[in-house]
Amino acid sequence: MKIVSVVGARPQFIKCAPVSRTIRKHHEEILVHTGQHYDPEMSEVFFEELDIPKPDYNLGIGSGTQGEQTGKMILEIEKVLLKEKPDIVLVYGDTNSTLAGALAATKLHIKVAHVEAGLRSFDRAMPEEINRVITDHISNILFCPTDTAVMNLKNEGITEGVYNVGDVMVDALKYNQKIAEEKSTILQDLNLNPKEFLLATVHRASNTDNIKNLSSIVEAFSDVETTIVFPMHPRTRKYLKEYNLWEKILKNTKVIPPVGYLDMLKLESNARKILTDSGGVQKEAYMLGVPCITLRDNTEWVETVEEGWNILTGADYEKIKHAIENFEGTKRRNEVFGDGNASGKISQKMNSGKT
Ligand code: UD1
Ligand code: UDP
């Protein structure tokens, strides 16, 4: 099979690393980077440390409004697809790069395979939810990470070409956990002792682009005794400055630039608790057995909450503070995200799916 894989944002680089490594043993892959993320610490670092093949095309789209960014991507991806004529276009997750890849392909009658299909937050105010729903409805092969995802698709009438292969982020984590343990020096660099700090990431539009929510999060972080390490997404940095919250956040938190995946795994596994609005970080916290406080009102990763390792606080000051002081994970942890061989199953199933 000739596969064009489309990636563009940080979590997609991490997800594509194990998949590219595996599918290249059995298929031809052309890698397209839309350029949605472009800062070295949001893009290049992952290609380097995870040995992701150099993209065959970098479309250099960059930032923009929803329609502008997605529209420009569709234009440029279409040109690549017309030239490369692949059998399948492979897309990941729920970003604008996902939607653009899927739309450009389906309009050219090229099969679409979606990794991380079937996730739902049931919150249509999130751009990601729109991207997920549309991508799933135009995909031919739907690689679900969980039984919940399969059920969500069934509830929307999608049953053909649906496979629960497990989560490729388990593949990535299992492959890199020991490497991170050995290679990362981030704890020494930041002068941190294991389990004596909290780790925070924030980038979701509902938190960053909303002064009330962002202020409330900053306020809660400022009132905590324990050190909070905060690798900061550029979007969040921009809004903290715009809302005059920059000085305040610096007072009590160790704000650092976004870190590479190996440093992130090291920070996550040694954190006392994790505060986040990231999808991927919620899952990693669960896999590593670290209590997670999710700064959102909903999550698509419901298993992490059901199993007692994740609590939803939204951007509510009192709830965040209470969770930081009191929330602990439970002991029980099942392999709800699969066994770490999602990539192998994806590679095998590339020839299947509805036409
Ligand atoms: C995107 C995804 C989100 C995902 C996140 C992963 C969409 C709609 N959102 O959100 O689902 O969780 O990536 O991190 O696709 N910026 C930079 N440098 C960069 C990239 C971004 O400075 O390399 C700044 C720009 O000001 C930009 C803003 O961050 O406007 C937002 O970037 P964008 O890619 O639009 O969305 P994310 O918030 O990163
Ligand atoms: N991540 C990273 N460095 C950071 C923050 C996150 O390597 O500074 C990793 C994290 O470990 C996870 C992925 O990026 O694997 C999650 O991406 P992100 O939070 O940007 O997006 P989401 O998962 O919410 O779509």
Side-chain angles (χ1 to χ4, degrees), residues 9-11 35-40 42-43 62-64 66 69 94-97 127-128 131 203-205 208 233-236 238 278-279:
R10 173 167 68 187
Q36 178 170 350
H37 286 174
Y38 44 86
D39 288 347
M42 294 295 288
S43 173
S63 308
Q66 295 292 317
Q69 190 182 50
D94 54 19
T95 73
N96 289 346
S97 298
E128 292 86 357
N131 294 342
H203 73 274
R204 206 55 67 190
T208 57
H233 191 292
R235 174 184 205 123
T236 317
K238 184 177 119 188
S278 154

PDB file of all heavy atoms in Angstrom, residues 9-11 35-40 42-43 62-64 66 69 94-97 127-128 131 203-205 208 233-236 238 278-279, ligand 1:
ATOM      1  N   ALA A   9       0.778  18.691  14.429  1.00  0.00           N
ATOM      2  CA  ALA A   9       0.829  19.229  15.792  1.00  0.00           C
ATOM      3  C   ALA A   9       1.561  18.260  16.718  1.00  0.00           C
ATOM      4  O   ALA A   9       1.612  17.059  16.446  1.00  0.00           O
ATOM      5  CB  ALA A   9      -0.586  19.478  16.312  1.00  0.00           C
ATOM      6  N   ARG A  10       2.083  18.803  17.809  1.00  0.00           N
ATOM      7  CA  ARG A  10       2.929  18.032  18.743  1.00  0.00           C
ATOM      8  C   ARG A  10       2.435  16.613  19.046  1.00  0.00           C
ATOM      9  O   ARG A  10       3.218  15.661  18.890  1.00  0.00           O
ATOM     10  CB  ARG A  10       3.070  18.843  20.031  1.00  0.00           C
ATOM     11  CG  ARG A  10       3.760  18.132  21.161  1.00  0.00           C
ATOM     12  CD  ARG A  10       4.127  19.084  22.270  1.00  0.00           C
ATOM     13  NE  ARG A  10       2.983  19.631  22.973  1.00  0.00           N
ATOM     14  CZ  ARG A  10       3.057  20.589  23.901  1.00  0.00           C
ATOM     15  NH1 ARG A  10       4.210  21.114  24.230  1.00  0.00           N
ATOM     16  NH2 ARG A  10       1.975  21.035  24.503  1.00  0.00           N
ATOM     17  N   PRO A  11       1.167  16.440  19.479  1.00  0.00           N
ATOM     18  CA  PRO A  11       0.773  15.067  19.837  1.00  0.00           C
ATOM     19  C   PRO A  11       0.804  14.117  18.643  1.00  0.00           C
ATOM     20  O   PRO A  11       0.960  12.910  18.800  1.00  0.00           O
ATOM     21  CB  PRO A  11      -0.650  15.238  20.376  1.00  0.00           C
ATOM     22  CG  PRO A  11      -1.114  16.552  19.856  1.00  0.00           C
ATOM     23  CD  PRO A  11       0.099  17.409  19.736  1.00  0.00           C
ATOM     24  N   GLY A  35       2.887  21.840   9.106  1.00  0.00           N
ATOM     25  CA  GLY A  35       3.497  23.069   9.639  1.00  0.00           C
ATOM     26  C   GLY A  35       2.602  23.778  10.637  1.00  0.00           C
ATOM     27  O   GLY A  35       2.863  24.923  11.007  1.00  0.00           O
ATOM     28  N   GLN A  36       1.535  23.090  11.104  1.00  0.00           N
ATOM     29  CA  GLN A  36       0.669  23.730  12.118  1.00  0.00           C
ATOM     30  C   GLN A  36       1.495  24.134  13.343  1.00  0.00           C
ATOM     31  O   GLN A  36       1.342  25.235  13.849  1.00  0.00           O
ATOM     32  CB  GLN A  36      -0.475  22.776  12.524  1.00  0.00           C
ATOM     33  CG  GLN A  36      -1.365  23.362  13.612  1.00  0.00           C
ATOM     34  CD  GLN A  36      -2.634  22.570  13.888  1.00  0.00           C
ATOM     35  OE1 GLN A  36      -2.980  21.654  13.151  1.00  0.00           O
ATOM     36  NE2 GLN A  36      -3.344  22.927  14.943  1.00  0.00           N
ATOM     37  N   HIS A  37       2.332  23.236  13.832  1.00  0.00           N
ATOM     38  CA  HIS A  37       3.300  23.604  14.867  1.00  0.00           C
ATOM     39  C   HIS A  37       4.672  23.722  14.209  1.00  0.00           C
ATOM     40  O   HIS A  37       5.047  22.893  13.394  1.00  0.00           O
ATOM     41  CB  HIS A  37       3.320  22.559  15.987  1.00  0.00           C
ATOM     42  CG  HIS A  37       2.110  22.646  16.878  1.00  0.00           C
ATOM     43  ND1 HIS A  37       1.825  21.754  17.883  1.00  0.00           N
ATOM     44  CD2 HIS A  37       1.083  23.553  16.902  1.00  0.00           C
ATOM     45  CE1 HIS A  37       0.708  22.098  18.499  1.00  0.00           C
ATOM     46  NE2 HIS A  37       0.225  23.190  17.915  1.00  0.00           N
ATOM     47  N   TYR A  38       5.413  24.771  14.582  1.00  0.00           N
ATOM     48  CA  TYR A  38       6.627  25.108  13.834  1.00  0.00           C
ATOM     49  C   TYR A  38       7.794  25.526  14.726  1.00  0.00           C
ATOM     50  O   TYR A  38       8.940  25.471  14.327  1.00  0.00           O
ATOM     51  CB  TYR A  38       6.323  26.234  12.832  1.00  0.00           C
ATOM     52  CG  TYR A  38       5.479  27.326  13.450  1.00  0.00           C
ATOM     53  CD1 TYR A  38       6.055  28.365  14.157  1.00  0.00           C
ATOM     54  CD2 TYR A  38       4.087  27.268  13.383  1.00  0.00           C
ATOM     55  CE1 TYR A  38       5.278  29.339  14.777  1.00  0.00           C
ATOM     56  CE2 TYR A  38       3.302  28.235  14.011  1.00  0.00           C
ATOM     57  CZ  TYR A  38       3.897  29.264  14.694  1.00  0.00           C
ATOM     58  OH  TYR A  38       3.125  30.205  15.318  1.00  0.00           O
ATOM     59  N   ASP A  39       7.531  25.955  15.969  1.00  0.00           N
ATOM     60  CA  ASP A  39       8.657  26.284  16.862  1.00  0.00           C
ATOM     61  C   ASP A  39       9.495  25.014  17.038  1.00  0.00           C
ATOM     62  O   ASP A  39       8.921  23.920  17.150  1.00  0.00           O
ATOM     63  CB  ASP A  39       8.149  26.722  18.248  1.00  0.00           C
ATOM     64  CG  ASP A  39       7.496  28.098  18.221  1.00  0.00           C
ATOM     65  OD1 ASP A  39       7.660  28.801  17.216  1.00  0.00           O
ATOM     66  OD2 ASP A  39       6.799  28.439  19.204  1.00  0.00           O
ATOM     67  N   PRO A  40      10.826  25.145  17.123  1.00  0.00           N
ATOM     68  CA  PRO A  40      11.653  23.940  17.263  1.00  0.00           C
ATOM     69  C   PRO A  40      11.209  23.046  18.429  1.00  0.00           C
ATOM     70  O   PRO A  40      11.165  21.838  18.305  1.00  0.00           O
ATOM     71  CB  PRO A  40      13.059  24.497  17.497  1.00  0.00           C
ATOM     72  CG  PRO A  40      13.028  25.882  16.954  1.00  0.00           C
ATOM     73  CD  PRO A  40      11.623  26.378  17.033  1.00  0.00           C
ATOM     74  N   MET A  42       8.283  22.694  19.596  1.00  0.00           N
ATOM     75  CA  MET A  42       6.950  22.119  19.378  1.00  0.00           C
ATOM     76  C   MET A  42       6.968  21.106  18.219  1.00  0.00           C
ATOM     77  O   MET A  42       5.980  20.423  17.970  1.00  0.00           O
ATOM     78  CB  MET A  42       5.944  23.229  19.023  1.00  0.00           C
ATOM     79  CG  MET A  42       5.658  24.224  20.120  1.00  0.00           C
ATOM     80  SD  MET A  42       4.842  23.478  21.537  1.00  0.00           S
ATOM     81  CE  MET A  42       3.195  23.168  20.897  1.00  0.00           C
ATOM     82  N   SER A  43       8.082  21.036  17.489  1.00  0.00           N
ATOM     83  CA  SER A  43       8.110  20.185  16.298  1.00  0.00           C
ATOM     84  C   SER A  43       9.435  19.431  16.151  1.00  0.00           C
ATOM     85  O   SER A  43       9.510  18.240  16.411  1.00  0.00           O
ATOM     86  CB  SER A  43       7.829  21.076  15.070  1.00  0.00           C
ATOM     87  OG  SER A  43       7.986  20.357  13.888  1.00  0.00           O
ATOM     88  N   GLY A  62       1.545  27.059   9.287  1.00  0.00           N
ATOM     89  CA  GLY A  62       1.642  27.945  10.456  1.00  0.00           C
ATOM     90  C   GLY A  62       0.304  28.225  11.115  1.00  0.00           C
ATOM     91  O   GLY A  62      -0.675  27.507  10.905  1.00  0.00           O
ATOM     92  N   SER A  63       0.274  29.299  11.909  1.00  0.00           N
ATOM     93  CA  SER A  63      -0.917  29.610  12.704  1.00  0.00           C
ATOM     94  C   SER A  63      -1.926  30.421  11.901  1.00  0.00           C
ATOM     95  O   SER A  63      -1.588  31.015  10.873  1.00  0.00           O
ATOM     96  CB  SER A  63      -0.513  30.413  13.940  1.00  0.00           C
ATOM     97  OG  SER A  63       0.515  29.775  14.648  1.00  0.00           O
ATOM     98  N   GLY A  64      -3.149  30.473  12.410  1.00  0.00           N
ATOM     99  CA  GLY A  64      -4.198  31.271  11.754  1.00  0.00           C
ATOM    100  C   GLY A  64      -5.530  31.005  12.405  1.00  0.00           C
ATOM    101  O   GLY A  64      -5.610  30.218  13.353  1.00  0.00           O
ATOM    102  N   GLN A  66      -9.341  29.420  12.588  1.00  0.00           N
ATOM    103  CA  GLN A  66      -9.736  28.033  12.289  1.00  0.00           C
ATOM    104  C   GLN A  66      -9.882  27.777  10.788  1.00  0.00           C
ATOM    105  O   GLN A  66      -9.288  26.865  10.225  1.00  0.00           O
ATOM    106  CB  GLN A  66     -11.070  27.703  12.991  1.00  0.00           C
ATOM    107  CG  GLN A  66     -11.004  27.710  14.504  1.00  0.00           C
ATOM    108  CD  GLN A  66     -10.163  26.580  15.053  1.00  0.00           C
ATOM    109  OE1 GLN A  66     -10.246  25.452  14.601  1.00  0.00           O
ATOM    110  NE2 GLN A  66      -9.342  26.881  16.029  1.00  0.00           N
ATOM    111  N   GLN A  69      -6.531  28.470   8.671  1.00  0.00           N
ATOM    112  CA  GLN A  69      -5.512  27.428   8.833  1.00  0.00           C
ATOM    113  C   GLN A  69      -5.956  26.136   8.136  1.00  0.00           C
ATOM    114  O   GLN A  69      -5.201  25.533   7.374  1.00  0.00           O
ATOM    115  CB  GLN A  69      -5.307  27.188  10.337  1.00  0.00           C
ATOM    116  CG  GLN A  69      -4.127  26.328  10.680  1.00  0.00           C
ATOM    117  CD  GLN A  69      -4.027  26.089  12.179  1.00  0.00           C
ATOM    118  OE1 GLN A  69      -5.010  25.711  12.828  1.00  0.00           O
ATOM    119  NE2 GLN A  69      -2.849  26.289  12.740  1.00  0.00           N
ATOM    120  N   ASP A  94      -7.270  14.790  16.430  1.00  0.00           N
ATOM    121  CA  ASP A  94      -8.417  15.701  16.309  1.00  0.00           C
ATOM    122  C   ASP A  94      -8.035  17.148  16.019  1.00  0.00           C
ATOM    123  O   ASP A  94      -8.762  18.067  16.358  1.00  0.00           O
ATOM    124  CB  ASP A  94      -9.221  15.652  17.606  1.00  0.00           C
ATOM    125  CG  ASP A  94      -8.352  15.938  18.829  1.00  0.00           C
ATOM    126  OD1 ASP A  94      -7.254  16.513  18.658  1.00  0.00           O
ATOM    127  OD2 ASP A  94      -8.768  15.594  19.946  1.00  0.00           O
ATOM    128  N   THR A  95      -6.876  17.367  15.419  1.00  0.00           N
ATOM    129  CA  THR A  95      -6.485  18.761  15.179  1.00  0.00           C
ATOM    130  C   THR A  95      -6.972  19.226  13.800  1.00  0.00           C
ATOM    131  O   THR A  95      -7.517  18.444  13.018  1.00  0.00           O
ATOM    132  CB  THR A  95      -4.955  18.923  15.229  1.00  0.00           C
ATOM    133  OG1 THR A  95      -4.418  18.333  14.051  1.00  0.00           O
ATOM    134  CG2 THR A  95      -4.346  18.267  16.442  1.00  0.00           C
ATOM    135  N   ASN A  96      -6.691  20.487  13.502  1.00  0.00           N
ATOM    136  CA  ASN A  96      -7.057  20.984  12.175  1.00  0.00           C
ATOM    137  C   ASN A  96      -6.291  20.252  11.075  1.00  0.00           C
ATOM    138  O   ASN A  96      -6.802  20.094   9.962  1.00  0.00           O
ATOM    139  CB  ASN A  96      -6.809  22.497  12.104  1.00  0.00           C
ATOM    140  CG  ASN A  96      -7.816  23.260  12.955  1.00  0.00           C
ATOM    141  OD1 ASN A  96      -8.831  22.703  13.387  1.00  0.00           O
ATOM    142  ND2 ASN A  96      -7.546  24.538  13.219  1.00  0.00           N
ATOM    143  N   SER A  97      -5.086  19.775  11.385  1.00  0.00           N
ATOM    144  CA  SER A  97      -4.321  18.986  10.409  1.00  0.00           C
ATOM    145  C   SER A  97      -5.038  17.662  10.105  1.00  0.00           C
ATOM    146  O   SER A  97      -5.007  17.169   8.975  1.00  0.00           O
ATOM    147  CB  SER A  97      -2.917  18.688  10.943  1.00  0.00           C
ATOM    148  OG  SER A  97      -2.200  19.889  11.139  1.00  0.00           O
ATOM    149  N   PRO A 127     -13.065  23.038  19.091  1.00  0.00           N
ATOM    150  CA  PRO A 127     -12.766  22.793  17.672  1.00  0.00           C
ATOM    151  C   PRO A 127     -12.410  21.329  17.433  1.00  0.00           C
ATOM    152  O   PRO A 127     -12.736  20.761  16.388  1.00  0.00           O
ATOM    153  CB  PRO A 127     -11.573  23.710  17.382  1.00  0.00           C
ATOM    154  CG  PRO A 127     -11.033  24.148  18.707  1.00  0.00           C
ATOM    155  CD  PRO A 127     -12.163  24.051  19.672  1.00  0.00           C
ATOM    156  N   GLU A 128     -11.781  20.708  18.439  1.00  0.00           N
ATOM    157  CA  GLU A 128     -11.361  19.305  18.299  1.00  0.00           C
ATOM    158  C   GLU A 128     -12.554  18.370  18.119  1.00  0.00           C
ATOM    159  O   GLU A 128     -12.464  17.366  17.411  1.00  0.00           O
ATOM    160  CB  GLU A 128     -10.561  18.859  19.531  1.00  0.00           C
ATOM    161  CG  GLU A 128      -9.210  19.520  19.692  1.00  0.00           C
ATOM    162  CD  GLU A 128      -9.272  20.866  20.426  1.00  0.00           C
ATOM    163  OE1 GLU A 128     -10.395  21.330  20.762  1.00  0.00           O
ATOM    164  OE2 GLU A 128      -8.202  21.449  20.660  1.00  0.00           O
ATOM    165  N   ASN A 131     -13.670  18.490  14.600  1.00  0.00           N
ATOM    166  CA  ASN A 131     -12.686  17.764  13.783  1.00  0.00           C
ATOM    167  C   ASN A 131     -12.861  16.252  13.896  1.00  0.00           C
ATOM    168  O   ASN A 131     -12.801  15.526  12.904  1.00  0.00           O
ATOM    169  CB  ASN A 131     -11.261  18.145  14.204  1.00  0.00           C
ATOM    170  CG  ASN A 131     -10.939  19.598  13.901  1.00  0.00           C
ATOM    171  OD1 ASN A 131     -11.617  20.243  13.103  1.00  0.00           O
ATOM    172  ND2 ASN A 131      -9.902  20.127  14.531  1.00  0.00           N
ATOM    173  N   HIS A 203      -3.213  24.386  27.546  1.00  0.00           N
ATOM    174  CA  HIS A 203      -3.199  24.999  26.214  1.00  0.00           C
ATOM    175  C   HIS A 203      -4.567  25.035  25.546  1.00  0.00           C
ATOM    176  O   HIS A 203      -4.732  25.580  24.465  1.00  0.00           O
ATOM    177  CB  HIS A 203      -2.218  24.273  25.276  1.00  0.00           C
ATOM    178  CG  HIS A 203      -2.713  22.921  24.838  1.00  0.00           C
ATOM    179  ND1 HIS A 203      -2.510  21.796  25.555  1.00  0.00           N
ATOM    180  CD2 HIS A 203      -3.428  22.545  23.753  1.00  0.00           C
ATOM    181  CE1 HIS A 203      -3.062  20.761  24.948  1.00  0.00           C
ATOM    182  NE2 HIS A 203      -3.639  21.198  23.852  1.00  0.00           N
ATOM    183  N   ARG A 204      -5.555  24.418  26.190  1.00  0.00           N
ATOM    184  CA  ARG A 204      -6.873  24.303  25.560  1.00  0.00           C
ATOM    185  C   ARG A 204      -7.489  25.688  25.367  1.00  0.00           C
ATOM    186  O   ARG A 204      -7.457  26.523  26.285  1.00  0.00           O
ATOM    187  CB  ARG A 204      -7.717  23.461  26.508  1.00  0.00           C
ATOM    188  CG  ARG A 204      -8.843  22.693  25.943  1.00  0.00           C
ATOM    189  CD  ARG A 204      -8.541  21.770  24.854  1.00  0.00           C
ATOM    190  NE  ARG A 204      -7.742  20.634  25.183  1.00  0.00           N
ATOM    191  CZ  ARG A 204      -7.217  19.807  24.280  1.00  0.00           C
ATOM    192  NH1 ARG A 204      -7.403  20.013  22.983  1.00  0.00           N
ATOM    193  NH2 ARG A 204      -6.499  18.770  24.640  1.00  0.00           N
ATOM    194  N   ALA A 205      -8.069  25.944  24.215  1.00  0.00           N
ATOM    195  CA  ALA A 205      -8.624  27.269  23.899  1.00  0.00           C
ATOM    196  C   ALA A 205      -9.599  27.749  24.975  1.00  0.00           C
ATOM    197  O   ALA A 205      -9.598  28.923  25.353  1.00  0.00           O
ATOM    198  CB  ALA A 205      -9.304  27.221  22.538  1.00  0.00           C
ATOM    199  N   THR A 208      -7.219  29.098  27.668  1.00  0.00           N
ATOM    200  CA  THR A 208      -6.268  30.176  27.356  1.00  0.00           C
ATOM    201  C   THR A 208      -6.950  31.431  26.824  1.00  0.00           C
ATOM    202  O   THR A 208      -6.557  32.549  27.148  1.00  0.00           O
ATOM    203  CB  THR A 208      -5.235  29.715  26.308  1.00  0.00           C
ATOM    204  OG1 THR A 208      -5.920  29.289  25.140  1.00  0.00           O
ATOM    205  CG2 THR A 208      -4.363  28.610  26.825  1.00  0.00           C
ATOM    206  N   HIS A 233       3.034  25.951  26.722  1.00  0.00           N
ATOM    207  CA  HIS A 233       2.644  26.015  25.309  1.00  0.00           C
ATOM    208  C   HIS A 233       2.679  27.492  24.867  1.00  0.00           C
ATOM    209  O   HIS A 233       2.274  28.369  25.646  1.00  0.00           O
ATOM    210  CB  HIS A 233       1.229  25.452  25.204  1.00  0.00           C
ATOM    211  CG  HIS A 233       0.746  25.189  23.811  1.00  0.00           C
ATOM    212  ND1 HIS A 233       0.491  26.187  22.909  1.00  0.00           N
ATOM    213  CD2 HIS A 233       0.459  24.030  23.169  1.00  0.00           C
ATOM    214  CE1 HIS A 233       0.060  25.655  21.767  1.00  0.00           C
ATOM    215  NE2 HIS A 233       0.036  24.347  21.903  1.00  0.00           N
ATOM    216  N   PRO A 234       3.151  27.776  23.645  1.00  0.00           N
ATOM    217  CA  PRO A 234       3.257  29.186  23.228  1.00  0.00           C
ATOM    218  C   PRO A 234       1.931  29.939  23.251  1.00  0.00           C
ATOM    219  O   PRO A 234       1.901  31.151  23.488  1.00  0.00           O
ATOM    220  CB  PRO A 234       3.802  29.085  21.791  1.00  0.00           C
ATOM    221  CG  PRO A 234       3.713  27.654  21.397  1.00  0.00           C
ATOM    222  CD  PRO A 234       3.672  26.841  22.646  1.00  0.00           C
ATOM    223  N   ARG A 235       0.857  29.211  23.042  1.00  0.00           N
ATOM    224  CA  ARG A 235      -0.463  29.852  23.077  1.00  0.00           C
ATOM    225  C   ARG A 235      -0.742  30.429  24.469  1.00  0.00           C
ATOM    226  O   ARG A 235      -1.259  31.550  24.604  1.00  0.00           O
ATOM    227  CB  ARG A 235      -1.514  28.779  22.733  1.00  0.00           C
ATOM    228  CG  ARG A 235      -2.917  29.245  22.873  1.00  0.00           C
ATOM    229  CD  ARG A 235      -3.906  28.108  22.603  1.00  0.00           C
ATOM    230  NE  ARG A 235      -5.147  28.680  22.177  1.00  0.00           N
ATOM    231  CZ  ARG A 235      -5.758  28.411  21.043  1.00  0.00           C
ATOM    232  NH1 ARG A 235      -5.246  27.558  20.198  1.00  0.00           N
ATOM    233  NH2 ARG A 235      -6.889  28.992  20.730  1.00  0.00           N
ATOM    234  N   THR A 236      -0.391  29.691  25.482  1.00  0.00           N
ATOM    235  CA  THR A 236      -0.660  30.079  26.866  1.00  0.00           C
ATOM    236  C   THR A 236       0.229  31.250  27.265  1.00  0.00           C
ATOM    237  O   THR A 236      -0.220  32.206  27.910  1.00  0.00           O
ATOM    238  CB  THR A 236      -0.404  28.865  27.785  1.00  0.00           C
ATOM    239  OG1 THR A 236      -0.978  27.727  27.151  1.00  0.00           O
ATOM    240  CG2 THR A 236      -0.999  29.058  29.160  1.00  0.00           C
ATOM    241  N   LYS A 238       1.366  33.491  25.306  1.00  0.00           N
ATOM    242  CA  LYS A 238       0.837  34.676  24.623  1.00  0.00           C
ATOM    243  C   LYS A 238      -0.331  35.290  25.419  1.00  0.00           C
ATOM    244  O   LYS A 238      -0.364  36.499  25.689  1.00  0.00           O
ATOM    245  CB  LYS A 238       0.357  34.246  23.218  1.00  0.00           C
ATOM    246  CG  LYS A 238      -0.135  35.365  22.343  1.00  0.00           C
ATOM    247  CD  LYS A 238      -0.515  34.861  20.965  1.00  0.00           C
ATOM    248  CE  LYS A 238      -1.976  35.145  20.715  1.00  0.00           C
ATOM    249  NZ  LYS A 238      -2.501  34.536  19.506  1.00  0.00           N
ATOM    250  N   SER A 278      -4.625  18.769  28.710  1.00  0.00           N
ATOM    251  CA  SER A 278      -4.210  18.023  27.518  1.00  0.00           C
ATOM    252  C   SER A 278      -4.855  16.647  27.499  1.00  0.00           C
ATOM    253  O   SER A 278      -4.981  15.996  28.535  1.00  0.00           O
ATOM    254  CB  SER A 278      -2.692  17.866  27.546  1.00  0.00           C
ATOM    255  OG  SER A 278      -2.283  16.728  26.823  1.00  0.00           O
ATOM    256  N   GLY A 279      -5.219  16.190  26.305  1.00  0.00           N
ATOM    257  CA  GLY A 279      -5.750  14.830  26.171  1.00  0.00           C
ATOM    258  C   GLY A 279      -4.658  13.802  26.426  1.00  0.00           C
ATOM    259  O   GLY A 279      -4.808  12.890  27.249  1.00  0.00           O
TER     260      GLY A 279
HETATM  261  C1  UD1 B   1      -3.578  22.434  18.559  1.00  0.00           C
HETATM  262  C2  UD1 B   1      -4.821  21.596  18.400  1.00  0.00           C
HETATM  263  C3  UD1 B   1      -5.164  20.958  19.722  1.00  0.00           C
HETATM  264  C4  UD1 B   1      -3.994  20.188  20.273  1.00  0.00           C
HETATM  265  C5  UD1 B   1      -2.755  21.078  20.328  1.00  0.00           C
HETATM  266  C6  UD1 B   1      -1.570  20.253  20.736  1.00  0.00           C
HETATM  267  C7  UD1 B   1      -6.477  22.417  16.756  1.00  0.00           C
HETATM  268  C8  UD1 B   1      -7.778  23.111  16.579  1.00  0.00           C
HETATM  269  N1  UD1 B   1      -5.979  22.426  18.001  1.00  0.00           N
HETATM  270  O1  UD1 B   1      -3.870  23.469  19.473  1.00  0.00           O
HETATM  271  O2  UD1 B   1      -6.233  20.052  19.555  1.00  0.00           O
HETATM  272  O3  UD1 B   1      -4.307  19.727  21.557  1.00  0.00           O
HETATM  273  O4  UD1 B   1      -2.512  21.627  19.032  1.00  0.00           O
HETATM  274  O5  UD1 B   1      -0.548  21.025  21.281  1.00  0.00           O
HETATM  275  O6  UD1 B   1      -5.927  21.901  15.817  1.00  0.00           O
HETATM  276  N2  UD1 B   1       1.997  28.721  18.357  1.00  0.00           N
HETATM  277  C9  UD1 B   1       3.322  29.103  18.333  1.00  0.00           C
HETATM  278  N3  UD1 B   1       4.243  28.214  17.848  1.00  0.00           N
HETATM  279  C10 UD1 B   1       3.917  26.984  17.376  1.00  0.00           C
HETATM  280  C11 UD1 B   1       2.554  26.611  17.388  1.00  0.00           C
HETATM  281  C12 UD1 B   1       1.616  27.497  17.888  1.00  0.00           C
HETATM  282  O7  UD1 B   1       3.684  30.198  18.742  1.00  0.00           O
HETATM  283  O8  UD1 B   1       4.806  26.213  16.947  1.00  0.00           O
HETATM  284  C13 UD1 B   1       1.004  29.669  18.945  1.00  0.00           C
HETATM  285  C14 UD1 B   1       0.439  30.640  17.924  1.00  0.00           C
HETATM  286  O9  UD1 B   1       0.202  31.842  18.592  1.00  0.00           O
HETATM  287  C15 UD1 B   1      -0.887  29.976  17.564  1.00  0.00           C
HETATM  288  C16 UD1 B   1      -1.296  29.332  18.881  1.00  0.00           C
HETATM  289  O10 UD1 B   1      -0.080  28.907  19.469  1.00  0.00           O
HETATM  290  O11 UD1 B   1      -1.843  30.904  17.117  1.00  0.00           O
HETATM  291  C17 UD1 B   1      -2.225  28.157  18.715  1.00  0.00           C
HETATM  292  O12 UD1 B   1      -1.687  27.182  17.821  1.00  0.00           O
HETATM  293  P1  UD1 B   1      -2.652  26.196  17.015  1.00  0.00           P
HETATM  294  O13 UD1 B   1      -1.864  25.197  16.285  1.00  0.00           O
HETATM  295  O14 UD1 B   1      -3.675  26.965  16.251  1.00  0.00           O
HETATM  296  O15 UD1 B   1      -3.481  25.482  18.159  1.00  0.00           O
HETATM  297  P2  UD1 B   1      -2.997  24.786  19.502  1.00  0.00           P
HETATM  298  O16 UD1 B   1      -3.515  25.581  20.631  1.00  0.00           O
HETATM  299  O17 UD1 B   1      -1.549  24.487  19.430  1.00  0.00           O
END
